[in-house]
Amino acid sequence: MGMSQLSKLLIIQEYNMEYKDEMIFADGMGFKEVPPNAPEAVRGNVYFNVEKFKAFLDKYKDSRGWVNTKMMKSKEKGTIYFILDTWKPQAQPTLADVAEAKEKRDFAPNVNEDLSDIPF
């Protein structure tokens, strides 16, 4: 197995672990693959149960009114399904955070200082 294939497997494993404990299925949303004789441009059919999907959207929309989902494929049957994308970007440090970190660094002991002449 080449390194690029191993890297891909590790990324997939990490991605799956991220979503393993927090999978929230997109209620009222489904996917059907198209038959082999479908036009090239058609990839699949997404279908909705309006009442269930509306309730899902209302429950999980963010402060800007968006709901993000991930299209997943089951390992056993290859079935396509959707889950709520719960990923959130990490907060960027504020100026206060940077100042506090600098202050702690300035008062930290110098670990490279020669302490051999201390009498105890």
Side-chain angles (χ1 to χ4, degrees), residues 77-95:
K77 296 181 181 178
T79 305
I80 301 293
Y81 60 96
F82 296 87
I83 62 169
L84 180 67
D85 182 1
T86 57
W87 179 84
K88 302 264 188 273
Q90 292 183 347
Q92 296 296 318
T94 64
L95 290 176

Side-chain angles (χ1 to χ4, degrees), residues 26-54:
D27 196 22
M29 182 179 191
F31 179 85
K32 287 186 181 174
E33 293 188 38
V34 295
N37 61 348
E40 179 69 24
V42 179
R43 296 294 178 204
N45 298 315
V46 179
Y47 56 92
F48 304 93
N49 176 304
V50 174
E51 293 303 316
K52 287 182 179 182
F53 193 58
K54 184 179 180 316

Side-chain angles (χ1 to χ4, degrees), residues 52-95:
K52 287 182 179 182
F53 193 58
K54 184 179 180 316
F56 171 79
L57 293 174
D58 287 340
K59 183 174 182 178
Y60 293 107
K61 68 183 174 186
D62 66 15
S63 60
R64 299 177 315 176
W66 287 91
V67 174
N68 295 320
T69 62
K70 297 270 186 215
M71 181 188 287
M72 309 292 280
K73 187 173 188 176
S74 71
K75 293 178 184 176
E76 294 81 28
K77 296 181 181 178
T79 305
I80 301 293
Y81 60 96
F82 296 87
I83 62 169
L84 180 67
D85 182 1
T86 57
W87 179 84
K88 302 264 188 273
Q90 292 183 347
Q92 296 296 318
T94 64
L95 290 176

